[in-house]
Amino acid sequence: MKKGDKVREIGDTLTGTIVYIANGYADVKYPNMKGVCSLPVQFLEKV
């Protein structure tokens, strides 16, 4: 996975975009949210 990829949490329907990735964590920007969520990469899947 890299910056700009469309991802979602495994088993979730909400998709977001990776804005930053480092140290096994990805900052994911979801639509309709002001901030970003920092999630472990192993819990994400590409859309």
Side-chain angles (χ1 to χ4, degrees):
M1 284 187 230
K2 63 187 184 316
K3 185 178 173 179
D5 282 352
K6 295 275 186 199
V7 295
R8 67 177 177 212
E9 267 191 280
I10 294 171
D12 199 358
T13 56
L14 189 65
T15 61
T17 307
I18 294 178
V19 291
Y20 182 75
I21 189 163
N23 301 327
Y25 283 84
D27 289 344
V28 182
K29 174 81 172 118
Y30 289 105
N32 305 325
M33 278 183 74
K34 290 189 183 207
V36 295
C37 295
S38 187
L39 300 166
V41 172
Q42 68 260 30
F43 296 137
L44 299 174
E45 63 183 356
K46 273 190 177 182
V47 177

